[in-house]
């Protein structure tokens, strides 16, 4: 989808949401005003901004489709076709994001448009996600969860209980403040448990170690627990 098509699709979704889901229409309108004066060519050159916009369009489309289903039974059936992590996103976190204040939104919008966003741990997260799927778990990854909710991956394992995790290569001394900020963010969004993982890329098989911790804690980490490892 090109930049011009993205703008057209956003306007279309705003119109559709206005009658059905005013809170979604308000959030989409905020995004639309953010990009309204940016020329299509300039917007296309901002690859992370485009990726974010495409994700939001996808999320809004799915959400509106779910809300348009005529009965609760049909909604439940549609949700059952999703993975546990996808279902958690569309039934809990995404609705929160469109209805509640996002204190970080204005900050990361500026960074995306300025081209200041980087994905330093992208390869690690991709390797983790691939390993989780091979081990029959599921994951969800999106920009809103990352930017606003301090969540790199939402993961579920055998018991299908989603767990929000953040991954960092910072050593334990420097990770302490980041951990405290992460925990505060999860609590603001009423995410009831989370896992903060620091890794050392010099350690052999560190990705498997991260995945082991993630899948185990997805099943067994108690509520109201925000675990830092190591």
């Amino acid at each position: 989808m090109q930049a011009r098509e993205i703008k057209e699709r956003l306007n279309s979704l705003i119109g559709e949401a206005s009658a059905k889901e005013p809170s979604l229409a308000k959030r989409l309108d905020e995004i639309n005003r953010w990009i309204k004066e940016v020329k299509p060519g300039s917007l296309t050159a901002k690859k992370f901004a485009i990726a974010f916009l495409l994700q939001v369009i996808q999320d809004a489309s799915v959400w509106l489709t779910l809300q348009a289903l005529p009965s609760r039974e049909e909604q439940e059936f549609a949700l059952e076709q999703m993975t546990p992590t996808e279902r958690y996103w569309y039934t809990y976190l995404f609705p929160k994001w469109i209805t509640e204040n996002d204190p970080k939104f204005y900050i990361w919008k500026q960074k995306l448009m300025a081209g200041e966003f980087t994905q330093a741990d992208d390869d690690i997260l991709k390797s983790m996600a691939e390993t989780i799927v091979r081990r029959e778990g599921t994951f969800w990854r999106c920009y809103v969860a990352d930017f606003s909710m301090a969540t790199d991956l939402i993961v579920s394992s055998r018991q299908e209980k989603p767990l929000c995790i953040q991954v960092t290569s910072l050593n334990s001394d420097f990770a302490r403040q980041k951990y405290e900020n992460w925990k505060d963010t999860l609590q603001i969004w009423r995410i009831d448990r989370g896992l903060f993982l620091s890794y050392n890329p010099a350690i052999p098989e560190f990705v498997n170690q991260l995945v082991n911790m993630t899948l185990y804690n997805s099943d067994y980490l108690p509520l109201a627990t925000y675990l830092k490892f190591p």
Side-chain angles (χ1 to χ4, degrees):
M1 189 180 292
Q2 300 299 313
R4 193 178 303 279
E5 295 173 299
I6 286 173
K7 290 185 175 186
E8 291 172 357
R9 182 59 178 148
L10 267 178
N11 281 311
S12 172
L13 286 169
I14 290 167
E16 186 178 347
S18 295
K20 300 176 182 178
E21 298 291 331
S23 58
L24 175 59
K26 182 179 179 181
R27 181 66 82 191
L28 293 177
D29 184 62
E30 187 177 5
I31 293 168
N32 190 48
R33 284 186 278 109
W34 171 56
I35 65 170
K36 189 173 183 180
E37 303 303 323
V38 182
K39 294 181 179 180
S42 298
L43 185 59
T44 299
K46 302 178 187 299
K47 64 176 184 177
F48 291 121
I50 288 287
F52 159 71
L53 291 166
L54 291 173
Q55 281 189 357
V56 166
I57 286 171
Q58 168 79 10
D59 285 344
S61 300
V62 170
W63 176 248
L64 286 170
T65 298
L66 286 171
Q67 301 312 302
L69 292 173
S71 70
R72 184 174 181 83
E73 290 75 15
E74 288 178 88
Q75 285 185 348
E76 290 177 351
F77 178 79
L79 290 169
E80 286 171 2
Q81 310 313 302
M82 297 179 177
T83 66
T85 45
E86 184 180 13
R87 190 160 55 243
Y88 180 67
W89 176 249
Y90 284 115
T91 63
Y92 190 68
L93 291 183
F94 183 69
K96 277 186 176 300
W97 186 66
I98 63 176
T99 57
E100 299 183 12
N101 177 53
D102 180 353
K104 296 182 179 180
F105 193 26
Y106 78 98
I107 298 172
W108 57 259
K109 281 192 305 180
Q110 291 176 350
K111 288 186 176 181
L112 276 178
M113 198 58 73
E116 296 175 1
F117 173 68
T118 60
Q119 290 184 304
D121 296 316
D122 189 50
D123 290 342
I124 306 302
L125 294 171
K126 285 179 179 177
S127 295
M128 286 183 67
E130 291 168 359
T131 305
I132 286 164
V133 171
R134 284 200 302 271
R135 294 175 59 176
E136 300 183 350
T138 69
F139 76 94
W140 187 257
R141 185 182 181 193
C142 65
Y143 288 108
V144 171
D146 182 5
F147 299 154
S148 294
M149 302 172 184
T151 295
D152 290 321
L153 292 173
I154 304 169
V155 177
S156 75
S157 187
R158 294 185 302 276
Q159 297 189 30
E160 298 190 350
K161 298 191 295 184
L163 176 68
C164 292
I165 71 167
Q166 185 168 99
V167 179
T168 179
S169 61
L170 293 176
N171 65 42
S172 296
D173 292 337
F174 291 102
R176 172 53 59 181
Q177 187 57 52
K178 188 172 182 180
Y179 164 77
E180 295 296 338
N181 294 339
W182 165 81
K183 183 172 70 171
D184 289 345
T185 298
L186 264 60
Q187 290 174 336
I188 287 170
W189 289 102
R190 297 190 296 283
I191 295 170
D192 56 19
R193 59 195 194 123
L195 184 63
F196 184 93
L197 296 169
S198 297
Y199 69 89
N200 181 351
I203 296 176
E205 299 294 320
F206 75 91
V207 169
N208 281 330
Q209 183 185 48
L210 295 175
V211 171
N212 288 342
M213 284 292 298
T214 297
L215 294 179
Y216 177 84
N217 282 285
S218 172
D219 284 339
Y220 299 113
L221 191 69
L223 296 178
T225 303
Y226 306 93
L227 181 64
K228 179 179 179 296
F229 180 84

